[in-house]
Amino acid sequence: MNFELNEEYSMIQEAARDFAQQDLKPGVIERDEKALFPYDQVKKMGELGFMGMMVDSKYGGAGLDALAYTLVLEEIAKIDASAAVIMSVNNSLVCYGLEAFGTEEQKEKYLRPLASGEKLGAFALSEPEAGSDATSQHTTAIDQGDHYLLNGTKNWITNGGNADICLIIAQTHPEKAHRGINVLIVEKGMPGFTIGPKENKLGIRSSDTHSLLFTDVKVPKENRIGEDGFGFKFAMKTLDGGRIGIAAQALGIAAGAYEFALAYAKERKTFGKPIAEHQAIQFKLADMEVEIEAARLLTYKAAWTKDQGLPYSKEAAMAKLHASEVAMKTSIEAVQIHGGYGYVKEYHVERLMRDAKITQIYEGTSEIQRLVIAREILK
């Protein structure tokens, strides 16, 4: 068992770190404060191959694995969790779903521009009355022969305002319950498809989150992914990979908060010496390092398990559960170490603390992760 990154992984990690420091860090505070979408930075992520990292090169992707993807997400989230979640949704939920289950025609038409970063994707499962419960879909896709008639509302959709391509989970056969759900590819601009106001959020403020509204949207039959009734299985399989992405984002937030706190503790002096030399601060730093390393090992293991072609539902849920809790705890401690300076925006840690909270909520709350883990260990 080798815990050292090889040369290729190290180079990928370094490229992501350089991008985060040079392209994301300047302006990150302003983007957060004004809730500005990082258009230029997302375009650069596409040019670097970060928007379709695990997609086969024959479809315009980088052809890398889940571990490489995790390494990049971690580095980006250290600086800008908003950019990280934009990248994560496009990779883990949209590109993965299309490549794994789409037809060749769908891959050529939709996956290729998504993987190259030319276009942006969104994944729409949550509804006003159904958050992570994929079985309770009120959005309907009624079979009209050569097309589906789509009606309903989706809530909390990351990339919702800027996405060109959306994967929509909808109920076609209510009498079949979860076996009657489908997933449809819906393009921005289709008649009847409107985008609700942008949400004013606590954290990840420069990623855009919207409601999506559908009124008699005609979606061609060829835009259905998989067989009729495959939508529930599609959502479950896709969310497993999405949890690895959120674990990596949470890990990056935690590691970023720790790095800011460590640097500050070495510089800030009280009673004639750096606060890092005070035992109380050393205890905090030591606990942060231990928790982050545990989260990193869980996250890397989940990615490695996926790369081996092994079942990874439990590993993904464990990584997401632990990393998100570490992100919250570590960012709070980072603010505490900074004292009053931690409460102002220019020191970054208050933003990371706000960003951390969502990692405990999306892709399923911490309680849902525990249910997934329990289901797997009780099999």
Side-chain angles (χ1 to χ4, degrees):
M1 189 176 293
N2 185 1
F3 291 96
E4 291 293 326
L5 297 178
N6 63 28
E7 184 178 359
E8 181 183 11
Y9 286 129
S10 296
M11 289 176 63
I12 292 168
Q13 185 182 53
E14 184 177 354
R17 185 179 298 123
D18 289 345
F19 166 74
Q21 292 293 331
Q22 296 170 16
D23 293 85
L24 289 176
K25 194 172 183 180
V28 66
I29 295 173
E30 182 183 11
R31 291 195 303 273
D32 170 79
E33 186 172 357
K34 297 181 179 179
L36 302 174
F37 189 85
Y39 292 102
D40 293 340
Q41 291 77 11
V42 171
K43 181 181 178 182
K44 181 69 176 291
M45 286 196 289
E47 294 169 357
L48 290 169
F50 292 165
M51 298 302 284
M53 289 195 68
M54 297 173 286
V55 175
D56 193 300
S57 57
K58 70 180 180 180
Y59 299 118
L64 296 168
D65 59 14
L67 181 56
Y69 166 63
T70 296
L71 293 169
V72 170
L73 261 182
E74 179 184 349
E75 292 301 323
I76 289 175
K78 285 180 181 180
I79 300 300
D80 189 347
S82 295
V85 74
I86 293 166
M87 173 188 160
S88 178
V89 167
N90 201 74
N91 275 273
S92 296
L93 301 181
V94 184
C95 286
Y96 168 77
L98 280 166
E99 184 170 26
F101 306 110
T103 64
E104 283 301 313
E105 292 77 11
Q106 290 169 348
K107 292 175 187 178
E108 285 295 331
K109 184 176 181 180
Y110 298 112
L111 178 59
R112 185 175 294 280
L114 286 165
S116 67
E118 177 187 342
K119 292 187 176 182
L120 186 65
F123 177 85
L125 171 64
S126 296
E127 296 185 356
E129 297 180 9
S132 300
D133 183 4
T135 64
S136 301
Q137 296 298 299
H138 293 278
T139 297
T140 59
I142 305 304
D143 194 334
Q144 299 291 307
D146 64 344
H147 68 274
Y148 289 99
L149 203 60
L150 184 64
N151 283 278
T153 301
K154 294 294 183 179
N155 266 22
W156 319 114
I157 307 305
T158 300
N159 298 344
N162 285 283
D164 305 284
I165 298 162
C166 302
L167 304 187
I168 310 298
I169 309 296
Q171 179 65 260
T172 299
H173 310 286
E175 71 281 2
K176 295 182 180 179
H178 71 278
R179 293 184 177 87
I181 294 171
N182 281 309
V183 54
L184 305 178
I185 304 168
V186 178
E187 298 180 50
K188 189 175 185 178
M190 282 184 168
F193 175 18
T194 57
I195 299 168
K198 186 175 182 177
E199 301 290 353
N200 188 9
K201 300 173 297 186
L202 171 72
I204 57 166
R205 288 175 51 78
S206 69
S207 71
D208 65 312
T209 304
H210 295 257
S211 293
L212 305 181
L213 298 89
F214 308 98
T215 305
D216 291 337
V217 180
K218 292 183 178 179
V219 183
K221 269 284 181 66
E222 59 264 29
N223 281 31
R224 186 187 72 204
I225 299 177
E227 297 297 321
D228 189 22
F230 180 66
F232 177 76
K233 288 185 177 179
F234 177 93
M236 294 301 98
K237 291 177 181 291
T238 303
L239 286 173
D240 278 344
R243 287 176 181 129
I244 295 176
I246 300 309
Q249 182 189 355
L251 171 61
I253 292 170
Y258 168 75
E259 289 177 9
F260 281 120
L262 179 61
Y264 179 83
K266 290 179 178 179
E267 296 171 1
R268 171 69 168 163
K269 291 183 178 180
T270 60
F271 303 104
K273 60 182 179 180
I275 63 172
E277 294 183 21
H278 295 297
Q279 193 176 69
I281 300 299
Q282 291 176 352
F283 284 176
K284 288 182 182 295
L285 293 170
D287 287 343
M288 292 161 79
E289 174 71 5
V290 170
E291 293 285 355
I292 290 168
E293 189 62 16
R296 181 173 288 118
L297 290 172
L298 280 170
T299 304
Y300 289 9
K301 182 186 176 184
W304 177 88
T305 303
K306 181 182 179 183
D307 289 335
Q308 305 312 303
L310 300 170
Y312 61 93
S313 294
K314 181 181 74 172
E315 288 76 11
M318 289 171 65
K320 196 269 186 187
L321 172 64
H322 186 66
S324 64
E325 292 185 347
V326 170
M328 198 71 249
K329 289 190 291 186
T330 299
S331 59
I332 289 172
E333 288 288 45
V335 172
Q336 193 71 20
I337 288 171
H338 278 75
Y341 291 106
Y343 212 66
V344 297
K345 294 183 180 297
E346 67 178 287
Y347 285 82
H348 296 283
V349 288
E350 65 83 29
R351 171 174 49 84
L352 290 171
M353 183 179 72
R354 290 186 285 105
D355 290 343
K357 187 57 192 175
I358 193 62
T359 66
Q360 294 180 305
I361 297 173
Y362 54 20
E363 302 296 339
T365 62
S366 297
E367 291 76 18
I368 288 174
Q369 305 315 309
R370 289 181 169 91
L371 289 174
V372 172
I373 295 164
R375 181 190 65 200
E376 292 298 316
I377 63 179
L378 291 172
K379 279 183 179 178

